[in-house]
Amino acid sequence: SRRRHTRCLSDWSSDVCSSDLAAGGDYTILVHGTVDDPRVTVLTDLNRLPTVATNAKVRLIHAASDLSASGMSLTVNYSAMASNVAFGSASTYSEVASSTNSIIDVTNPLALSSVYTASAVTLSAGAVYTVFILMGTKGPVGLLRRER
């Protein structure tokens, strides 16, 4: 038998309750927006292994409120992985060949240069990664996290 426990996160725009989360599911609870207009979004994760054993999986989450009017795009080794990812959402996972010398680049049409660039990145075979674009005190910042 399944038991459900309900706990809620509340903000000015929504309620996210644990009863909305399936047992055994993988989720990212994204708190984003501004101090005056915070938002909570539940994103479903798909942390399954890549279909090709030598690949890694990568996705992009756009949480940069200063650039909320337009989508973000992600390239890995100059190949498009995601485009026009809306504020407060995640791209689908894309598979990329594993490498010890990858280049990750995130762009936004409102920014004058890349929002996030990282070189000599190791993307391990069988791993799952998320690139978060968040707001820092001096503008957008990128954060690469291995999920699996």
Side-chain angles (χ1 to χ4, degrees):
S1 73
R2 292 174 62 180
R3 285 203 244 160
R4 285 201 178 267
H5 299 281
T6 301
R7 292 195 175 100
C8 295
L9 299 172
S10 295
D11 67 27
W12 292 277
S13 62
S14 67
D15 285 332
V16 177
C17 296
S18 62
S19 63
D20 299 331
L21 308 176
D26 288 323
Y27 302 95
T28 296
I29 298 176
L30 181 66
V31 180
H32 57 97
T34 64
V35 172
D36 296 329
D37 185 22
R39 300 174 190 183
V40 178
T41 303
V42 176
L43 303 170
T44 301
D45 296 343
L46 187 60
N47 292 327
R48 294 188 189 117
L49 294 172
T51 56
V52 176
T54 57
N55 284 353
K57 288 171 51 174
V58 181
R59 73 170 173 171
L60 173 65
I61 293 180
H62 177 355
S65 57
D66 283 6
L67 300 174
S68 63
S70 63
M72 298 274 182
S73 297
L74 168 69
T75 62
V76 177
N77 298 327
Y78 307 104
S79 295
M81 299 287 118
S83 62
N84 203 28
V85 177
F87 175 66
S89 67
S91 69
T92 58
Y93 290 89
S94 296
E95 290 199 22
V96 61
S98 61
S99 170
T100 58
N101 198 24
S102 293
I103 299 169
I104 297 173
D105 192 54
V106 178
T107 57
N108 178 283
L110 296 178
L112 298 175
S113 59
S114 292
V115 175
Y116 173 73
T117 300
S119 58
V121 175
T122 297
L123 297 176
S124 300
V128 179
Y129 298 90
T130 296
V131 178
F132 291 89
I133 302 299
L134 310 166
M135 280 310 302
T137 57
K138 296 181 181 180
V141 295
L143 185 65
L144 176 66
R145 286 291 178 249
R146 182 174 174 167
E147 297 180 41
R148 178 183 182 135

